[in-house]
Amino acid sequence: MAINLVQGALFTVMVVRAGMLADPSFEHELARQIELSPRFFRAAPVVLDLRRAGGFESAEEFADARDVLHRFTLVLVGVQNATPAQIEAAAAAGLASFAPTAAQPTRVRPEAAPPAQPRARLITAPVRSGTQIYARGTDLVVTAAVSPGAELIADGNIHVYNVLRGRALAGASGDVGARIFCSRLEAELISIAGRYLVSDQLPADQRGFPVQVALVDDQLTLTRI
Amino acid sequence: MAKVIVVTSGKGGVGKTTTSAAFAAGLALRGHKTVVIDFDVGLRNLDLVMGCERRVVFDFINVINGDANLNQALIKDKRNDNLFIFPTSQTRDKDALKREGVERVLEELKKTFDYIICDSPAGIEHGAITALYFADSAVIVTNPEVSSVRDSDRIIGILSSRSRRAERNEPPVDIHLLLTRYDPDRVVKGEMLTVEDVREILSIPLLGVIPESESVLRASNTGTPVVFDADSPAGRAYVDAVARFLGEQREMRFVKPEKRGFFRVLFGRA
């Protein structure tokens, strides 16, 4: 059996410019920012940007930088925009070299941090034909009717406390545990994590009733509530 | 305070222009100074339905572009002094409807009129969006069939998200349903949606039900708004709808099949 030993993943990492370390007000400013959102900075990885920075050609200099950041609970994990000599010194200090890209943010604002548990998106007005509502990374709760030709999409569960006549796609990012609940099922299409049933395939005995939809053994399964 | 009312539907051929003409005439008959504007640039019809096609000199687009003033373009109805028709251009297209120009014209009309009726083109493109953008109230013209209901639903969604009131977070456009071409006999046979079906799907207040009637076709072809035909069921239904719009309570008529006498059954529908 083949096992993927290496898998890719994307992370948000803070970047500190090397020049800033030398600035006498750096520590004070960093302490102030951390105080604003301590959770965000706790044990957060940091990359040191060496663009136009002199020095940093010995492992000791990197060790010093690591100590400074460590005092603020930050973990120095690597460098970017480094010269070959700097890369070598960084490697000796146990730091990785990140390839800089144009799209990479050079400064990450702390307010960009997503809340740990985003609240469900709540819709109280009728969802009319042609409207698409996407609850990114969370559940979607609708208390009004969902018209034919309307589309509800959620990365989490979808609750409709009214008649569902449009489309409902739960677990849109692949969450197979997501479910759909509605007070009256008259949907054009229901889908969980990419498995779907169109209106024609919905069991006649579930139509018009309060129903919940879940994926059981990779099959969309409808049960009366 | 002058009120801008858009008559719209999304779908074509459901009776927007007939309704605009009848509604405007109905408000005028009730003593309100009313103007009805044709927003269907390039497919000018309102002047025909209002019977003033031979008196059109300047049009809505001329006024928007500043080539003519309002008084030159407005046509006074010969049957009612409170009623004015604002025809559109047959040679231009919807792109001529510049939002700033439309706003300027509407603001000027608001100074003299109580009600400004905007007869929207079909569709959800620029023409229809411009017609509904400045609305305070909307009359959604719907036929008792599924495609019309779905298009109405779409246009209601647009009204509540893309009108000026929605964009400015003002109180929402006051939206009413007008069910037209309703044939109670076919509803009983299950060939048409019932009033209740349509109300349930659209969930907006019902202004009236206009029965399918030969008098509507006759009215359009003779250029007489159907409310002037006080004997026709459609004319009476529009009069009721206008009264409800003005806040009166009226019982819904023409929603059940007529009881027919022996001779009517023999000789077909009157």
Side-chain angles (χ1 to χ4, degrees):
Chain A
M1 196 169 79
I3 298 170
N4 285 333
L5 287 174
V6 176
Q7 284 184 321
L10 284 169
F11 300 99
T12 302
V13 179
M14 276 177 287
V15 174
V16 172
R17 279 192 292 280
M20 284 167 20
L21 283 176
D23 190 331
S25 64
F26 171 74
E27 293 201 29
H28 174 72
E29 190 57 29
L30 184 60
R32 199 184 60 82
Q33 287 216 3
I34 289 175
E35 206 175 320
L36 288 176
S37 39
R39 264 216 326 229
F40 178 76
F41 287 100
R42 172 131 215 104
V46 171
V47 166
L48 194 61
D49 188 344
L50 295 173
R51 188 195 305 266
R52 286 196 290 276
F56 285 104
E57 289 181 358
S58 69
E60 284 78 1
E61 278 175 284
F62 287 109
D64 287 348
R66 175 155 45 199
D67 290 345
V68 171
L69 293 167
H70 188 72
R71 283 209 296 279
F72 297 98
T73 74
L74 300 173
V75 182
L76 184 60
V77 295
V79 297
Q80 73 167 5
N81 288 318
T83 62
Q86 289 171 330
I87 290 176
E88 208 161 297
L95 296 175
S97 170
F98 289 88
T101 64
Q104 221 157 3
T106 50
R107 222 182 88 210
V108 177
R109 284 193 297 268
E111 53 267 37
Q117 202 78 59
R119 210 174 65 169
R121 184 151 178 214
L122 174 66
I123 305 289
T124 56
V127 186
R128 303 283 180 185
S129 178
T131 316
Q132 190 184 62
I133 293 171
Y134 177 28
R136 187 187 299 276
T138 185
D139 290 2
L140 179 58
V141 180
V142 182
T143 57
V146 180
S147 295
E151 198 164 70
L152 306 179
I153 307 172
D155 289 333
N157 306 306
I158 294 177
H159 305 253
V160 180
Y161 298 107
N162 208 308
V163 53
L164 169 61
R165 296 194 178 95
R167 297 165 162 236
L169 298 90
S173 308
D175 180 0
V176 293
R179 292 187 178 195
I180 298 170
F181 307 84
C182 64
S183 318
R184 208 167 105 201
L185 180 75
E186 289 178 20
E188 294 174 323
L189 179 145
I190 48 172
S191 164
I192 292 172
R195 313 317 179 266
Y196 66 90
L197 289 175
V198 294
S199 180
D200 264 359
Q201 300 165 309
L202 295 179
D205 58 338
Q206 307 281 11
R207 184 169 276 281
F209 290 98
V211 165
Q212 75 161 302
V213 187
L215 261 187
V216 181
D217 298 330
D218 214 34
Q219 291 277 317
L220 278 184
T221 308
L222 286 75
T223 42
R224 291 259 189 101
I225 305 174
Chain B
M1 184 61 200
K3 219 173 192 184
V4 179
I5 307 170
V6 63
V7 177
T8 187
S9 67
K11 194 176 187 304
V14 294
K16 282 182 296 298
T17 301
T18 301
T19 297
S20 299
F23 222 75
L27 286 167
L29 283 173
R30 297 288 304 259
H32 299 287
K33 203 163 180 211
T34 305
V35 57
V36 53
I37 310 177
D38 192 348
F39 271 79
D40 204 349
V41 186
L43 295 167
R44 191 177 88 193
N45 282 152
L46 180 71
D47 51 326
L48 291 172
V49 175
M50 296 296 291
C52 65
E53 72 278 10
R54 295 184 193 172
R55 297 159 63 202
V56 177
V57 183
F58 294 106
D59 58 49
F60 190 28
I61 304 302
N62 293 140
V63 179
I64 287 175
N65 292 338
D67 301 332
N69 65 38
L70 266 181
N71 291 331
Q72 290 173 299
L74 283 179
I75 299 175
K76 189 173 185 176
D77 190 83
K78 285 183 171 166
R79 295 150 295 212
N80 190 303
D81 288 345
N82 291 319
L83 183 57
F84 287 78
I85 300 105
F86 202 167
T88 195
S89 165
Q90 177 72 353
T91 53
R92 306 292 296 274
D93 61 28
K94 309 286 191 281
D95 294 338
L97 287 169
K98 302 271 183 296
R99 194 170 274 182
E100 299 72 34
V102 172
E103 180 174 24
R104 186 171 44 78
V105 173
L106 289 178
E107 287 307 318
E108 213 173 323
L109 289 170
K110 279 183 180 177
K111 291 177 196 157
T112 37
F113 288 95
D114 302 325
Y115 290 101
I116 300 162
I117 314 272
C118 302
D119 179 20
S120 170
I124 52 170
E125 287 79 29
H126 178 69
I129 302 293
T130 310
L132 66 78
Y133 185 73
F134 298 101
D136 301 308
S137 299
V139 175
I140 308 295
V141 183
T142 307
N143 291 166
E145 47 129 347
V146 284
S147 60
S148 175
V149 172
R150 180 178 296 194
D151 291 359
S152 294
D153 194 52
R154 181 85 166 97
I155 210 87
I156 297 167
I158 291 173
L159 269 163
S160 39
S161 62
R162 290 176 62 187
S163 62
R164 185 168 72 172
R165 282 174 173 268
E167 283 183 2
R168 292 185 176 175
N169 271 326
E170 291 171 358
V173 179
D174 166 40
I175 303 175
H176 306 268
L177 171 65
L178 188 72
L179 207 51
T180 57
R181 314 197 66 165
Y182 195 77
D183 186 337
D185 293 307
R186 296 186 65 188
V187 170
V188 169
K189 286 185 209 153
E191 295 172 359
M192 273 187 178
L193 297 176
T194 68
V195 179
E196 285 317 310
D197 289 340
V198 180
R199 283 181 79 166
E200 208 221 313
I201 295 172
L202 295 180
S203 53
I204 52 172
L206 178 67
L207 203 56
V209 178
I210 312 298
E212 176 79 306
S213 157
E214 288 163 20
S215 57
V216 172
L217 186 62
R218 189 168 59 236
S220 294
N221 285 334
T222 57
T224 317
V226 70
V227 285
F228 288 129
D229 184 357
D231 295 332
S232 77
R236 283 185 287 157
Y238 272 116
V239 168
D240 284 355
V242 169
R244 289 188 201 102
F245 184 82
L246 295 172
E248 291 173 24
Q249 297 285 331
R250 297 256 173 130
E251 205 190 327
M252 286 288 167
R253 297 192 273 187
F254 316 111
V255 291
K256 293 199 176 66
E258 277 175 70
K259 290 195 177 62
R260 291 194 206 139
F262 175 69
F263 283 101
R264 280 200 160 185
V265 173
L266 266 187
F267 297 111
R269 300 182 57 202

